[in-house]
Amino acid sequence: MSYRRRMLVLAICCMSLLIVSLDNTVLNVALPAMRREFDASVSGLQWTIDAYTLVLASLLMLSGSTADRFGRRMVFQLGLVLFTLGSLLCSLAPSLGWLVVFRMIQAVGGSMLNPVAMSIITNVFTDPRERARAIGVWGGVVGISMAAGPLAGGLLVDTLGWRAIFWINLPLGIAALVLTMLFVPESKAPTARRFDPVGQLLVIVLLGSLTYGIIEAPSAGWTSPLILCCLGLAGGSLAALLLYEPRRAEPLIDLRFFGSAPFSGATVIAVCAFAALGGFLFINTLYLQDVRGLSALHAGLYMLPMAGVTLVVAPLSGRVVGSRGPRLPLLLAGIAMLASGVLAAGFGAERSDPLLFTSYVLFGIGFGMVNAPVTNTAVSGMPREQAGVAAGITSTSRQVGTSLGVAVIGSVIATTGHPEAAGDPAWWIIAGCGAAVLVVGRLTTGSWATRTAERTAARIAGAQTVRS
């Protein structure tokens, strides 16, 4: 495939990431307007985000393996159709309940986009250095969505109303669909994977019960039978998943992947980094509009320093990963996110615009640095025919992190009763996520970690050879 064609495929894949990422950042800015129209509680606002991320997280691995089996371009096209249709339905939602339902339709489509697009990129860009740079560009799209999302969302909410935030997905989705039909090559894994309905059900029960328990605990009480039952169900589902999956020849979650220290580290770091991001967007949107009294557009402008820095740093991170490996970007990411949280929580950054903007910039540096090494580490050490599954696990980790970040920090807000009172605890949670990125990034990179990745890839490839 020519260089120009590869670049065009990368652009199409980035377009799919843009509509998914843009949807999340735009939605956060619109939360106060939705609450006023629907008279929604904090938990209701949490569900407008987490209903989407939970469905997405539950289906990403299934979508990745399905694309490997039936064709990546075909699944990618179906995802674009469902996501665009779901966006149209969200703009017409008559109530908060229906909005949550339509967000779930969006998520079904979204689950077929990002991991499948990453699998397409992995198979198109076969040179490791070129692939790392492509992934850096891919990560930069998240920065673009962060920069454009709050501004576009704020402008739309202030002028046309919150429903208009879903309209921007329609032309982008249609354009991506047409370009995919024309230019993206079809590809499949050499060996088709079987479906794992039991594993899929256990993942859904695990994520759903855990998130429901965290979100509803402030109103129901942490020791109430309902919440204890949810947490117990989550623990039981996790135990069953760990016992059941290794016994399958082709499991939904191939636990052998976690024998690779870099892959395991990338998974944990993805959860922590995106939990910090989900919590950051949730608490700051409510704080800026409900406490400071800013309009949606002005709130978006306040968060522009964070988004702009992410946009600049993400491609640089990809280049560093391609030339020097993932350790340095991960360490810088952890330090910057930790410093951001400590500055806001320990030095009262919310009460001073210069300190607040400094905290935002630090968070943008950290989040911009983290995406490229996580993505590259997850897929580069695995056999290419397993790219869809590996990318699906990593994408799932991101969505699980976002769900947990919104659930935990939303519960802090519900417990304290006000975004201002929840500010310091929320920022300490974000600082803790940054510390986890720093420690895990240090432990799971280096020569020892590389050897575990090589052994894991050899075992997986050997097992595939025996089955074939």
Side-chain angles (χ1 to χ4, degrees):
M1 182 183 294
S2 67
Y3 177 79
R4 180 177 296 180
R5 181 77 176 270
R6 292 199 302 273
M7 289 299 103
L8 184 56
V9 171
L10 175 61
I12 295 168
C13 291
C14 287
M15 190 180 297
S16 73
L17 176 62
L18 178 63
I19 61 175
V20 173
S21 301
L22 194 64
D23 186 78
N24 279 332
T25 53
V26 167
L27 180 68
N28 273 277
V29 176
L31 288 177
M34 292 178 180
R35 180 173 62 184
R36 289 191 294 270
E37 178 168 335
F38 294 134
D39 193 25
S41 63
V42 172
S43 64
L45 298 180
Q46 289 172 277
W47 281 118
T48 63
I49 298 174
D50 276 359
Y52 176 87
T53 54
L54 282 175
V55 173
L56 201 64
S58 299
L59 298 181
L60 280 171
M61 288 177 287
L62 175 62
S63 296
S65 59
T66 300
D68 285 344
R69 180 185 180 93
F70 293 109
R72 295 172 180 120
R73 185 179 69 174
M74 183 189 71
V75 172
F76 189 69
Q77 289 173 313
L78 179 59
L80 287 169
V81 171
L82 288 175
F83 188 87
T84 305
L85 175 62
S87 299
L88 176 62
L89 293 173
C90 286
S91 70
L92 303 173
S95 66
L96 185 68
W98 279 111
L99 178 61
V100 170
V101 171
F102 296 149
R103 288 279 290 165
M104 294 170 72
I105 295 175
Q106 264 191 312
V108 174
S111 72
M112 302 177 187
L113 297 181
N114 288 0
V116 180
M118 179 52 59
S119 183
I120 291 172
I121 290 173
T122 303
N123 280 271
V124 169
F125 292 88
T126 55
D127 178 72
R129 185 182 297 269
E130 193 176 73
R131 182 174 58 221
R133 291 179 178 175
I135 290 173
V137 174
W138 166 271
V141 173
V142 177
I144 294 174
S145 71
M146 287 185 178
L151 292 177
L155 182 62
L156 290 171
V157 170
D158 285 349
T159 56
L160 300 176
W162 66 263
R163 296 176 188 276
I165 66 174
F166 295 104
W167 297 344
I168 58 179
N169 294 331
L170 304 184
L172 290 174
I174 293 171
L177 178 62
V178 173
L179 291 173
T180 300
M181 295 172 63
L182 294 176
F183 298 109
V184 174
E186 184 61 280
S187 62
K188 301 179 183 179
T191 304
R193 293 177 57 81
R194 298 177 183 177
F195 293 115
D196 181 7
V198 174
Q200 183 65 62
L201 178 62
L202 288 172
V203 168
I204 292 173
V205 173
L206 168 60
L207 298 179
S209 58
L210 177 62
T211 305
Y212 184 91
I214 295 174
I215 289 177
E216 300 298 333
S219 59
W222 283 99
T223 58
S224 68
L226 174 63
I227 302 304
L228 293 177
C229 180
C230 286
L231 298 180
L233 186 60
S237 299
L238 176 60
L241 197 66
L242 295 176
L243 292 173
Y244 175 78
E245 291 296 277
R247 301 185 180 187
R248 285 187 57 86
E250 295 177 337
L252 176 71
I253 305 175
D254 195 335
L255 298 180
R256 294 175 301 176
F257 285 7
F258 294 95
S260 165
F263 183 87
S264 298
T267 302
V268 174
I269 290 169
V271 171
C272 294
F274 277 78
L277 176 66
F280 175 92
L281 293 175
F282 194 81
I283 184 66
N284 279 286
T285 294
L286 296 180
Y287 169 76
L288 292 173
Q289 295 188 54
D290 290 351
V291 177
R292 289 205 171 189
L294 300 179
S295 66
L297 177 58
H298 288 158
L301 288 170
Y302 257 69
M303 288 191 284
L304 186 58
M306 182 275 290
V309 170
T310 300
L311 174 62
V312 173
V313 168
L316 297 178
S317 176
R319 290 182 176 274
V320 174
V321 172
S323 60
R324 300 188 59 178
R327 171 174 286 186
L328 179 60
L330 289 176
L331 295 182
L332 292 175
I335 292 171
M337 294 174 74
L338 173 61
S340 173
V342 171
L343 180 64
F347 296 90
E350 295 147 321
R351 293 178 288 277
S352 167
D353 278 352
L355 288 179
L356 184 66
F357 288 139
T358 302
S359 178
Y360 284 1
V361 168
L362 287 170
F363 188 89
I365 293 172
F367 188 76
M369 278 286 174
V370 80
N371 214 29
V374 165
T375 303
N376 188 69
T377 301
V379 300
S380 62
M382 298 299 165
R384 285 178 56 197
E385 58 270 19
Q386 294 294 319
V389 179
I393 293 175
T394 309
S395 297
T396 298
S397 302
R398 291 185 174 94
Q399 300 305 324
V400 169
T402 301
S403 297
L404 292 177
V406 172
V408 170
I409 290 184
S411 293
V412 171
I413 295 173
T415 300
T416 58
H418 199 268
E420 186 173 20
D424 285 352
W427 277 108
W428 281 120
I429 292 171
I430 292 171
C433 290
V437 170
L438 175 62
V439 172
V440 176
R442 176 64 180 83
L443 294 176
T444 58
T445 55
S447 57
W448 165 79
T450 301
R451 290 194 297 270
T452 66
E454 292 171 350
R455 289 196 297 267
T456 299
R459 283 198 300 269
I460 293 174
Q464 290 170 345
T465 302
V466 171
R467 285 202 303 270
S468 61

